[in-house]
């Protein structure tokens, strides 16, 4: 049986959520209008806002949860990720020697 991962309630009301989102997600370079290219943390926050107001604990820790509240700035704010190329010839190699 799969156990349910812990969730937290990061905001006391919707106004707090929208204020935090406006100061982070809306001005972040990782924000996109396409769902498949959008920040996964932003999506998790929005899904929590339209549901019970909870987000998974591991998501909150990525954002910057200190055990009591979320940081004023998201840990992933404007972080640029470099694209990774995979060498499939090395990946499919059965032995290293």
């Amino acid at each position: 049986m799969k156990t349910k991962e812990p969730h937290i309630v990061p905001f006391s009301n919707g106004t707090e959520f929208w204020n935090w989102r406006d100061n982070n997600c809306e001005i972040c370079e990782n924000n996109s209008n396409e769902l498949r290219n959008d920040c996964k943390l932003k999506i998790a926050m929005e899904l929590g806002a339209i549901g019970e107001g909870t987000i998974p604990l591991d998501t909150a820790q990525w954002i910057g949860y200190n055990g009591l509240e979320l940081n004023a700035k998201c840990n992933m704010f404007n972080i640029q990720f470099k694209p990774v190329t995979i060498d499939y010839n090395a990946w499919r190699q059965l032995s290293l020697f």
Side-chain angles (χ1 to χ4, degrees):
M1 180 184 214
K2 188 175 181 180
T3 60
K4 188 176 179 182
E5 64 180 286
H7 282 65
I8 66 156
V9 179
F11 306 107
S12 62
N13 56 46
T15 303
E16 262 187 34
F17 164 73
W18 288 108
N19 186 32
W20 191 91
R21 184 178 174 272
D22 287 344
N23 291 318
N24 286 282
C25 300
E26 289 304 307
I27 58 175
C28 182
E29 292 179 9
N30 297 321
N31 189 17
S32 171
N33 291 329
E34 296 180 27
L35 185 60
R36 66 178 173 196
N37 294 331
D38 212 349
C39 176
K40 303 304 181 216
L41 301 175
K42 175 188 169 193
I43 294 170
M45 293 284 287
E46 289 178 345
L47 288 174
I50 62 172
E52 298 174 347
T54 63
I55 60 172
L57 179 59
D58 61 341
T59 300
Q61 290 169 338
W62 270 99
I63 292 170
Y65 181 66
N66 64 11
L68 299 173
E69 62 186 3
L70 289 179
N71 295 338
K73 275 292 177 205
C74 179
N75 289 340
M76 299 295 143
F77 185 76
N78 287 342
I79 290 181
Q80 295 298 315
F81 296 100
K82 295 180 181 177
V84 177
T85 57
I86 299 172
D87 182 1
Y88 287 101
N89 292 328
W91 181 63
R92 292 186 181 127
Q93 183 175 328
L94 295 177
S95 110
L96 295 175
F97 306 101

